[in-house]
Amino acid sequence: MLKFILNNEDVGTTLPPGMPLLDFIRYHQHLTGTKTGCNEGDCGACTILAGELLHGVLTYRSFTSCLMPLGNAHGKHIVTIEGINMLPALNTIQQAMVDNAATQCGFCTPGFVMSLAGFCLSRQAPTPENAVTAVDGNICRCTGYKSIERAAAAVAAQLVGRNNEEPAQFAAAHQLLPAYFSGIKERLKRLLLSLNGELTPPSGTTPRFMGGGTDLYVQQPEEIQEQPLRFLFGQEMLKGITREDNRCVVGAACTVNDLLASPIMRTYFPALESYVSLISSTPIRNMATIAGNFINASPIGDLTIFFLALDATIELSDGTTTRTLPLRELYKGYKQLDKRPEEYMTRCWFDLPDASTGFHFEKVSKRTHLDIASVNTAICITMKGNLIGTVRISAGGVGPVPALLTDTAAFLIGKAPSGAVIKVACAIAQSEVTPISDARGTAVYKRLLLEQLIKAHFITLFPSLQVELLL
């Protein structure tokens, strides 16, 4: 049986664990403040909070419930808009929205309020900028965002005196959120003690592995609900980002925002925050896992392109034995993998860049944020003096699989970066790709994007080339 806390109530259910949490909330619990919008994680109208104990620390994250399987709520505190109401008065977040005229038709408002509640329960610095970032997964079609930004800044101002106090305790004590939040940590401890380990699919079935669900619930929402599932998202053994000698090891269930929070990743990739800002929105980054990005095999998976350039190695397990293979060898054709159905990814690793190595990631999509890439690409280049020692350039959106431009790299090795050399490299890259025209752009447009993004890599890493490459 699935067990979790829903707002202030203990809940148990035998409903299919593949059911979207949104459906459970609205149609089985009749909590209709959580809205059904796009069902693709884009609009944020269905935003909820999921609280859990991570190494004994109560941690809340915003999720889009339309893409969250009910099974991933197991053992957590799920909070909907009804769970933060403080009737008959408005809570501080709701009052800030009213005071700043930040709502009009009201359909999107619960999602904005929940994202700001997640900000109040986070450990981020209480700045207006961080408050605005917290609502980057919420779309409003009628109010205009400046009033919402003012409301977010007003909420941030209420947190200035928090210092190191636990966010849930502070929010409850200062009546930002209901008083019951102060007791959730102990309730979750008791809940976890009552659970019988991870959810297991029915015996005799071959389960499908489920991470964050952010792509599967867009592509196959009905099919997923009917399948036996094994949930990997909450498994501690699949989490963690550690350094082992000169390599970084990343657990398969780590999310995009786990990467961003990692001191190791931030140290070796100083521009990581700017890269991550191009990868969807805060709620999706809280849910989307490394393994999900790799194994779903999208030709434009952002993390796949990022880690391909780092020449990452992945580890696969069938529960008994493990094997490793380079990420570049995983993809055999469109959505075809060198992976058996009973195998799942456990972790990946890559060599950490040294002082002579540069890394850069680029992405272009129809919208700057919250969108699938038209073309994305990354480069990892190591210099030997003034010459290119090693280089890897990955590219997505230009073929049936996430690609490494091996011929382009072979041409560049041993050469000094120059405008003329890079222009020849761009021409070679065109011979390695086979883009198609689709909703994200024509094939001609994607070829142009790839050329421009390769130039952007070199302009960023070698600023002196800017004039030559922009001519």
Side-chain angles (χ1 to χ4, degrees), residues 127-331:
T127 65
E129 294 77 14
N130 283 340
V132 169
T133 298
V135 297
D136 64 7
N138 299 90
I139 292 175
C140 176
R141 295 300 189 190
C142 54
T143 302
Y145 290 102
K146 289 304 175 184
S147 57
I148 295 172
E149 289 176 4
R150 289 192 293 270
V155 171
Q158 298 293 317
L159 304 175
V160 170
R162 184 173 66 192
N163 298 321
N164 294 321
E165 189 173 346
E166 186 173 82
Q169 297 292 337
F170 180 90
H174 290 77
Q175 298 185 321
L176 302 177
L177 295 174
Y180 79 84
F181 274 86
S182 64
I184 289 297
K185 186 173 183 178
E186 293 304 316
R187 290 175 65 182
L188 281 176
K189 288 180 181 178
R190 292 194 296 271
L191 173 62
L192 292 175
L193 289 173
S194 72
L195 301 181
N196 296 317
E198 66 175 278
L199 292 174
T200 55
S203 59
T205 63
T206 301
R208 186 165 185 174
F209 297 105
M210 173 64 67
T214 55
D215 186 62
L216 290 177
Y217 277 86
V218 173
Q219 303 296 331
Q220 307 168 32
E222 290 83 12
E223 180 182 346
I224 289 295
Q225 295 183 53
E226 302 301 323
Q227 293 181 327
L229 300 174
R230 181 179 172 190
F231 295 91
L232 305 177
F233 182 80
Q235 291 196 20
E236 284 299 316
M237 63 180 293
L238 301 180
K239 292 183 178 291
I241 300 172
T242 58
R243 178 176 177 175
E244 297 180 1
D245 296 324
N246 193 47
R247 72 180 190 181
C248 181
V249 181
V250 183
C254 286
T255 65
V256 182
N257 274 345
D258 289 336
L259 291 177
L260 184 58
S262 165
I264 299 170
M265 293 296 294
R266 294 183 75 96
T267 297
Y268 285 90
F269 301 92
L272 184 63
E273 190 165 354
S274 66
Y275 304 152
V276 167
S277 70
L278 299 174
I279 303 175
S280 195
S281 64
T282 296
I284 301 299
R285 293 193 294 264
N286 284 335
M287 302 166 67
T289 64
I290 305 290
N293 206 263
F294 291 1
I295 302 302
N296 283 337
S298 168
I300 45 179
D302 292 317
L303 293 182
T304 306
I305 296 305
F306 188 101
F307 282 89
L308 269 176
L310 295 171
D311 199 26
T313 297
I314 68 170
E315 181 181 78
L316 298 172
S317 173
D318 61 8
T320 304
T321 60
T322 62
R323 66 185 179 100
T324 63
L325 75 160
L327 178 60
R328 64 178 182 274
E329 295 180 8
L330 178 63
Y331 306 103

Side-chain angles (χ1 to χ4, degrees), residues 4 10 34 39 42-43 59 64 69 90 117 156 168 174 180 218 255 258 339 350 358 381 460:
F4 55 96
D10 295 324
T34 305
N39 277 327
D42 278 344
C43 73
T59 303
T64 51
L90 298 177
H174 290 77
Y180 79 84
V218 173
T255 65
D258 289 336
K339 186 187 84 68
F350 61 91
I381 183 168
T460 300

Side-chain angles (χ1 to χ4, degrees), residues 3-82:
K3 293 182 179 181
F4 55 96
I5 303 170
L6 178 60
N7 297 324
N8 197 21
E9 302 295 329
D10 295 324
V11 170
T13 179
T14 56
L15 287 167
M19 172 186 292
L21 179 62
L22 173 61
D23 290 356
F24 177 79
I25 289 168
R26 286 184 60 86
Y27 308 126
H28 294 271
Q29 296 297 305
H30 309 293
L31 299 173
T32 54
T34 305
K35 303 304 181 185
T36 300
C38 64
N39 277 327
E40 294 188 352
D42 278 344
C43 73
C46 70
T47 302
I48 55 90
L49 303 181
E52 60 184 322
L53 292 177
L54 298 176
H55 305 292
V57 177
L58 180 59
T59 303
Y60 283 90
R61 292 174 290 183
S62 57
F63 287 179
T64 51
S65 58
C66 66
L67 302 183
M68 180 179 177
L70 183 59
N72 277 349
H74 191 52
K76 295 183 176 66
H77 178 211
I78 301 301
V79 189
T80 71
I81 187 69
E82 291 86 356

